[in-house]
């Protein structure tokens, strides 16, 4: 079945540094990927839609300069949290549809970011 | 705009008892509905989905859900729960065919009591 792989699964960094999270689609190509953020004991909030070969589409209230998204190939999207601060600590989850227009998404296992 | 409401934030249930997790949605167009399960520190796993056809949908791990358009509900049920069902359950909706953007409910934490 379709698998989405995220790396790293957890990361701890110092305040002010940048952290990159990778999201890969295995065995299928994803022209679109979605990045979600989940605070402890809360729901998933869509941050942005990553589009292969073009700029990402950010949801209202999400700082695009803070959360840089790059979708350089059909199997890889990256989320870079720039100049991370403790309030950026969260669980970040990516997902991808098996094919364009598919209503069903496959989710990665998530990446837990802790900023000290 | 679509929205999803999960009224119960926590549901404790004794092992082998039945359970129902409630989900209501609002939308002005046709919707597609999903239930996802999240185990601690993991991503989301699809339990079941309603896209069209029969309103009673069966999923993995013995779960099922019924789409009720008149009541705008998509409640999740299991006749007999197991300890391993302890997890967070999210109801989600997307509008229209080909729309990949999911809107999630706030989640229900199901705790199974031995």
């Amino acid at each position: 079945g379709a698998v989405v792989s995220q790396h790293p699964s957890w990361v701890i960094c110092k305040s002010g540094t940048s952290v990159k999270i990778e999201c890969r689609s295995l065995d299928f190509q994803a022209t679109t990927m979605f990045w979600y953020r989940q605070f402890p004991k809360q729901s998933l909030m869509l941050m942005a839609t990553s589009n292969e070969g073009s700029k990402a589409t950010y949801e209202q209230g999400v700082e695009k300069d803070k959360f840089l998204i790059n979708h350089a190939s059909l199997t890889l999207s990256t989320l870079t949290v720039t100049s991370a601060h403790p309030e950026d600590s969260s669980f970040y989850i990516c997902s991808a549809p098996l094919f364009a227009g598919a209503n069903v998404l496959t989710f990665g296992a998530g990446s837990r970011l802790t900023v000290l | 705009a679509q929205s999803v409401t999960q009224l119960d934030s926590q549901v404790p249930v004794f092992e082998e008892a039945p359970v129902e997790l409630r989900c209501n949605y609002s939308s002005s167009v046709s919707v597609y509905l999903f239930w996802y399960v999240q185990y601690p520190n993991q991503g989301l796993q699809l339990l079941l989905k309603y896209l069209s056809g029969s309103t009673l949908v069966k999923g993995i791990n013995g779960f099922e859900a019924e789409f009720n358009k008149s009541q705008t509900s998509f409640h999740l049920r299991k006749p007999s729960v197991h300890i391993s069902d302890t997890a967070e359950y999210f109801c989600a909706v997307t509008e229209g065919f080909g729309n990949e953007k999911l809107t999630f409910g706030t989640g229900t934490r199901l705790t199974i009591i031995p």
Side-chain angles (χ1 to χ4, degrees), chain B residues 6-17:
Chain B
Q6 292 181 249
L7 290 173
D8 305 307
S9 59
Q10 297 186 60
V11 173
V13 179
F14 285 103
E15 192 174 15
E16 297 184 4

Side-chain angles (χ1 to χ4, degrees), chain A residues 19-59:
Chain A
V19 174
K20 179 184 287 187
I21 300 171
E22 293 186 348
C23 179
R24 293 182 184 274
S25 59
L26 307 182
D27 300 326
F28 72 102
Q29 295 180 333
T31 56
T32 302
M33 290 184 176
F34 300 93
W35 286 96
Y36 291 84
R37 182 174 182 177
Q38 184 182 30
F39 290 104
K41 299 184 179 181
Q42 294 188 30
S43 188
L44 283 74
M45 300 300 295
L46 180 63
M47 298 174 64
T49 302
S50 173
N51 304 298
E52 188 270 335
S54 64
K55 292 182 179 180
T57 305
Y58 291 82
E59 296 299 304

Side-chain angles (χ1 to χ4, degrees), chain A residues 5-99:
Chain A
S5 174
Q6 270 187 255
H7 178 79
S9 56
W10 59 269
V11 57
I12 302 173
C13 70
K14 293 182 178 180
S15 184
T17 61
S18 295
V19 174
K20 179 184 287 187
I21 300 171
E22 293 186 348
C23 179
R24 293 182 184 274
S25 59
L26 307 182
D27 300 326
F28 72 102
Q29 295 180 333
T31 56
T32 302
M33 290 184 176
F34 300 93
W35 286 96
Y36 291 84
R37 182 174 182 177
Q38 184 182 30
F39 290 104
K41 299 184 179 181
Q42 294 188 30
S43 188
L44 283 74
M45 300 300 295
L46 180 63
M47 298 174 64
T49 302
S50 173
N51 304 298
E52 188 270 335
S54 64
K55 292 182 179 180
T57 305
Y58 291 82
E59 296 299 304
Q60 190 173 10
V62 178
E63 300 176 61
K64 60 182 180 181
D65 295 329
K66 174 75 171 177
F67 299 100
L68 299 180
I69 292 174
N70 186 296
H71 197 146
S73 77
L74 288 171
T75 59
L76 174 64
S77 174
T78 60
L79 168 67
T80 301
V81 183
T82 62
S83 186
H85 291 281
E87 57 266 29
D88 299 324
S89 298
S90 190
F91 196 50
Y92 294 88
I93 305 175
C94 70
S95 69
L98 184 58
F99 54 87

